[in-house]
Amino acid sequence: MLRISLLFCISIAVVAVVWAEPSPTPNQIISHIPRQRVESTAIAAIGYSKRRHILEIEFVNGAIYRYLDVPPTVHRDLMSADSKARFYDSNIRRHYRSIPIRPRQKVNNHE
């Protein structure tokens, strides 16, 4: 009987811990991909994981998106493009599955 009570208490404790922790959402993704600043009217920085084929783009409005299954050649061509924003629009946007990492940041114009 003591063994059943102990197992019951442990089970309750595990459920309480799991229940107390929020489930991960796209807004809680933490990126470990270093991003390099770029000159662009729309894009602030670009990061790429060669091992995982993940492209991350930080936009000047503060939004960050992660693009999946992006070949290294696409990253290379983006980095060497004269217009990174135009290359993004033509070759990345709507071509690869994306995950929002951070929404665009609201600008306060009352300063």
Side-chain angles (χ1 to χ4, degrees):
M1 185 70 172
L2 178 62
R3 188 174 187 177
I4 293 173
S5 295
L6 185 59
L7 285 174
F8 179 74
C9 289
I10 290 171
S11 298
I12 295 297
V14 168
V15 168
V17 168
V18 170
W19 194 14
E21 294 178 4
S23 62
T25 63
N27 293 338
Q28 294 175 331
I29 293 174
I30 297 174
S31 174
H32 298 288
I33 299 173
R35 290 188 291 273
Q36 176 183 348
R37 293 271 166 212
V38 294
E39 280 193 41
S40 173
T41 56
I43 299 172
I46 298 170
Y48 187 69
S49 170
K50 291 178 188 174
R51 185 173 62 82
R52 296 171 54 202
H53 292 183
I54 294 174
L55 177 71
E56 283 190 358
I57 299 180
E58 179 179 347
F59 294 90
V60 295
N61 67 10
I64 300 173
Y65 282 84
R66 176 178 285 182
Y67 296 88
L68 307 176
D69 302 318
V70 178
T73 54
V74 172
H75 170 251
R76 184 192 66 225
D77 293 346
L78 171 62
M79 294 303 287
S80 63
D82 289 335
S83 172
K84 289 164 183 42
R86 203 169 12 250
F87 184 92
Y88 165 79
D89 281 338
S90 300
N91 300 285
I92 297 169
R93 186 176 182 210
R94 296 190 186 113
H95 287 81
Y96 296 96
R97 191 165 55 112
S98 65
I99 300 169
I101 303 297
R102 182 175 72 195
R104 69 184 169 130
Q105 307 300 297
K106 294 180 181 169
V107 177
N108 187 357
N109 292 333
H110 295 58
E111 294 179 15

